[in-house]
Amino acid sequence: MGALGSLLIGLFAYCFKKLNKENTKKRIIILIIGCIISLILAIIFYFAEDTQTGKEGAWMFLWFYLLIFGWRLVADIILYCTGRLDKKKDEESKTKTVTEKTEDTKTYTTVNNMLNRN
């Protein structure tokens, strides 16, 4: 259960990340796969339960997933279909832009460049 909770928290944090068009398509696929997995788990829980209330409660796992992640799935599909996403991030943000003041002193324009991250 701890691994499932960690997965849900990580997926929830991933939903708030702003992505370009290519990565948004990946996120849509990930969320649809998660929906399929929660549907399979709901079916397994449904057949594993003996009481009627247990069988009804088994579907709550699917509704819980759709409540938490369904909004992001719908929003990503709308943004992807309407073309409101950038096709690629600015190449300037990925490359190191360094302004030379003197031979020894350099000013980094972004924090990512300062930390040497791409």
Side-chain angles (χ1 to χ4, degrees):
M1 291 307 280
L4 183 62
S6 298
L7 177 69
L8 291 176
I9 290 171
L11 193 58
F12 190 72
Y14 185 59
C15 284
F16 287 106
K17 191 174 184 183
K18 186 174 181 178
L19 302 174
N20 58 6
K21 189 170 187 172
E22 297 166 1
N23 291 336
T24 302
K25 186 176 179 180
K26 291 177 187 176
R27 181 166 57 193
I28 290 170
I29 292 169
I30 289 171
L31 290 174
I32 288 173
I33 289 171
C35 186
I36 292 169
I37 290 171
S38 65
L39 177 66
I40 291 169
L41 286 174
I43 291 170
I44 290 170
F45 293 155
Y46 177 79
F47 287 114
E49 288 294 326
D50 295 331
T51 63
Q52 185 62 28
T53 55
K55 289 183 184 239
E56 292 170 359
W59 295 110
M60 291 309 293
F61 191 76
L62 178 65
W63 297 121
F64 176 72
Y65 180 85
L66 291 176
L67 177 68
I68 292 179
F69 301 112
W71 63 272
R72 184 77 255 180
L73 184 61
V74 171
D76 282 344
I77 290 171
I78 290 171
L79 290 175
Y80 188 80
C81 291
T82 58
R84 294 184 183 179
L85 299 169
D86 296 334
K87 291 189 178 184
K88 289 189 176 180
K89 289 183 179 178
D90 295 332
E91 294 297 326
E92 296 175 6
S93 65
K94 288 187 175 183
T95 60
K96 294 181 181 179
T97 53
V98 178
T99 307
E100 292 187 26
K101 289 185 177 177
T102 63
E103 293 178 359
D104 298 331
T105 310
K106 294 181 180 180
T107 304
Y108 292 93
T109 57
T110 62
V111 175
N112 285 337
N113 291 338
M114 188 173 68
L115 297 174
N116 294 325
R117 294 182 184 165
N118 287 330

